[in-house]
Amino acid sequence: DVEVKLDNEIISALVKAKNALPNVENVVVEPDELGLGFTFGGDIEYANKVSYFIQNITPPESTFKLIYNSDLLKEILICNKSMDEDKLYVKSNGLMKLTFSNKNLQSTYYIVAKEQ
């Protein structure tokens, strides 16, 4: 449903957002008018939250709100921040795919959304 090209600025911003709330275990991912939103702590109604929006995405045909493990996402991003070509895909059925590549290596990760 959504495909995003990641760069060092986006990866750093997502890692910083997660680091701002180290005890938060979940990140809510949902598209809206600002872009693809990542809200750390967004699954808890009365809690601190940090949001980051990746802009300039093609809006998906359907809206969705998915919850992923924020620690896992952070570790994947940190381990692959030096790659040359990075992409993130989010399907409304709950599957997130992250691909990273450079001239010597290609990595693909799949993360399944948590039940809501």
Side-chain angles (χ1 to χ4, degrees):
D1 295 293
V2 179
E3 177 181 335
V4 177
K5 184 173 174 29
L6 299 175
D7 58 26
N8 285 336
E9 180 182 327
I10 293 171
I11 291 172
S12 293
L14 289 170
V15 170
K16 286 178 185 177
K18 168 56 183 147
N19 287 341
L21 298 172
N23 296 328
V24 169
E25 296 178 2
N26 296 321
V27 57
V28 175
V29 177
E30 64 183 315
D32 67 11
E33 65 277 353
L34 296 175
L36 184 62
F38 290 78
T39 305
F40 294 87
D43 62 320
I44 303 169
E45 190 172 337
Y46 298 103
N48 291 330
K49 296 171 180 49
V50 175
S51 296
Y52 181 78
F53 293 90
I54 300 174
Q55 299 177 350
N56 300 326
I57 66 164
T58 303
E61 293 179 13
S62 62
T63 60
F64 53 84
K65 183 176 181 178
L66 302 167
I67 300 172
Y68 294 96
N69 182 303
S70 60
D71 294 316
L72 180 60
L73 179 61
K74 174 188 162 187
E75 290 304 315
I76 291 170
L77 294 172
I78 288 173
C79 290
N80 293 282
K81 67 181 177 183
S82 63
M83 297 292 215
D84 297 330
E85 246 185 75
D86 313 327
K87 288 192 178 175
L88 176 137
Y89 307 86
V90 180
K91 299 290 285 178
S92 60
N93 66 2
L95 186 64
M96 179 186 290
K97 177 182 174 184
L98 296 127
T99 62
F100 303 92
S101 62
N102 62 21
K103 63 181 181 177
N104 298 320
L105 183 65
Q106 182 174 351
S107 303
T108 303
Y109 299 87
Y110 295 94
I111 305 175
V112 178
K114 296 181 176 186
E115 284 190 40
Q116 296 183 28

